[in-house]
Amino acid sequence: MTRPRQRPRVDRKNLIIRRVSTYLRTLDHLRAEGVEVMSSRDFEKIEGVTQSLVRRDLAEFGTFGVRGVGYPVGELRDQLARVLGLDRRRNVVLIGAGGFGSVLIHSESFRQRNLEVTQIFDQDSAHIGGSIEGIAVHDMARLEQELDARSVDLAIVAVAPPEVQGVIDRLGRLGVRGALYFASRPVKSPANMVVLNMDISVELGLLTYLLD
């Protein structure tokens, strides 16, 4: 009898990390509103996850909060930031200075997550030589000459889908360790990189399903 194939543990871990990221987002909002203590029930009301799932997720990384009292918002926020590796500054190179890339630079979430765009590259002559938030926009053609991968933690690739694979390949050869891209097509990840995709078409599919 063939035994059912088990899903790799990394899949489960990824799901937990995604939920922990949403918990951190909630904690950021509550801290900004002056909330000092919250409970698993509060997480359930805000994020729509069960109290037991919240407790199991947090237990993956240690012991948090006080039984019968709840979680100190500021303390738990900082603890989860350490779990996610967001307790220290991460330098980001942005590939694509167009509208979407500009939105990312101005995002408050970047600053809250200790992410700082330190270099920008684009192939549009309208952007090259200019600056966004005081950060110079370099010519994409000079990526290999201008980018020092040792000073960059990750890349955000905001270019047209057909161009993504070529950009990822170039970043991999330079030694950039991680990249996030936005496209409705998969790419092949270089062996030395962690590459993630945010596909809006997937989210739209979920949205339209929920509307029916």
Side-chain angles (χ1 to χ4, degrees):
M1 180 176 177
T2 303
R3 300 177 64 181
R5 183 179 179 182
Q6 293 183 336
R7 298 182 69 188
R9 180 174 174 80
V10 67
D11 288 351
R12 173 179 174 274
K13 199 71 169 184
N14 285 349
L15 291 174
I16 293 173
I17 290 297
R18 287 181 183 277
R19 289 195 296 269
V20 169
S21 294
T22 67
Y23 303 157
L24 181 61
R25 177 186 63 193
T26 295
L27 292 164
D28 280 331
H29 290 317
L30 293 177
R31 186 169 68 170
E33 294 174 0
V35 177
E36 296 183 356
V37 179
M38 73 177 302
S39 65
S40 299
R41 184 185 296 272
D42 294 324
F43 274 120
E44 183 177 67
K45 291 178 180 177
I46 296 170
E47 295 293 349
V49 294
T50 65
Q51 299 176 53
S52 59
L53 183 58
V54 172
R55 289 192 288 267
R56 288 201 302 272
D57 286 344
L58 297 181
E60 288 280 329
F61 304 101
T63 302
F64 305 94
V66 178
R67 182 182 294 274
V69 176
Y71 305 101
V73 169
E75 179 180 323
L76 181 59
R77 190 268 170 207
D78 292 342
Q79 289 171 320
L80 295 188
R82 283 194 291 274
V83 166
L84 296 173
L86 297 171
D87 57 327
R88 57 192 184 279
R89 195 180 89 167
R90 303 281 187 172
N91 292 335
V92 178
V93 55
L94 175 63
I95 310 296
F100 188 59
S102 180
V103 168
L104 291 174
I105 292 178
H106 291 91
S107 170
E108 182 63 26
S109 296
F110 263 49
R111 286 179 281 273
Q112 290 176 340
R113 298 294 186 271
N114 271 334
L115 300 173
E116 183 171 341
V117 176
T118 56
Q119 284 187 286
I120 306 172
F121 290 85
D122 200 281
Q123 62 181 5
D124 188 342
S125 58
H127 298 298
I128 297 169
S131 65
I132 301 176
E133 291 289 298
I135 306 168
V137 180
H138 299 281
D139 189 343
M140 189 66 192
R142 291 189 52 77
L143 180 69
E144 285 75 10
Q145 290 74 39
E146 300 287 349
L147 178 65
D148 181 1
R150 294 171 298 181
S151 65
V152 170
D153 295 295
L154 59 97
I156 293 180
V157 181
V159 300
E163 301 170 10
V164 172
Q165 184 68 68
V167 171
I168 295 293
D169 291 341
R170 292 173 70 183
L171 292 171
R173 287 194 292 269
L174 287 170
V176 176
R177 296 175 55 215
L180 176 67
Y181 73 96
F182 305 85
S184 57
R185 63 176 67 185
V187 301
K188 295 180 180 179
S189 304
N192 61 327
M193 288 184 75
V194 176
V195 179
L196 298 179
N197 177 27
M198 291 292 293
D199 184 353
I200 191 172
S201 68
V202 174
E203 303 304 322
L204 287 173
L206 174 60
L207 178 60
T208 52
Y209 169 79
L210 295 173
L211 288 175
D212 288 339

